[in-house]
Amino acid sequence: MIFENSTMKKVMVVGSGGSGKSTLSVWLADELRLPVYHLDRLYWKPNWVKTEKQA
């Protein structure tokens, strides 16, 4: 494990479309034993319908 003594709790990966963000995120999650949250999956409903704003 590369990050054997890491104390990281959160990592944010930012980049343009098709740059490998998901691939890097999955790899980092495995190495750091952290969960992965893909914001597109949290924001968008099926068929790319926006989630309504909460009041």
Side-chain angles (χ1 to χ4, degrees):
M1 187 165 134
I2 293 173
F3 302 103
E4 195 168 320
N5 296 317
S6 176
T7 59
M8 284 188 264
K9 301 289 183 202
K10 296 180 184 179
V11 177
M12 182 170 62
V13 178
V14 179
S16 57
S19 64
K21 297 179 299 292
S22 294
T23 301
L24 176 61
S25 298
V26 170
W27 181 82
L28 279 173
D30 185 51
E31 288 292 318
L32 297 171
R33 300 173 200 259
L34 294 172
V36 175
Y37 301 102
H38 296 278
L39 295 182
D40 278 347
R41 292 183 188 151
L42 297 173
Y43 180 78
W44 295 100
K45 293 181 180 180
N47 299 315
W48 296 101
V49 174
K50 286 185 181 181
T51 301
E52 294 181 20
K53 292 183 181 180
Q54 295 180 354

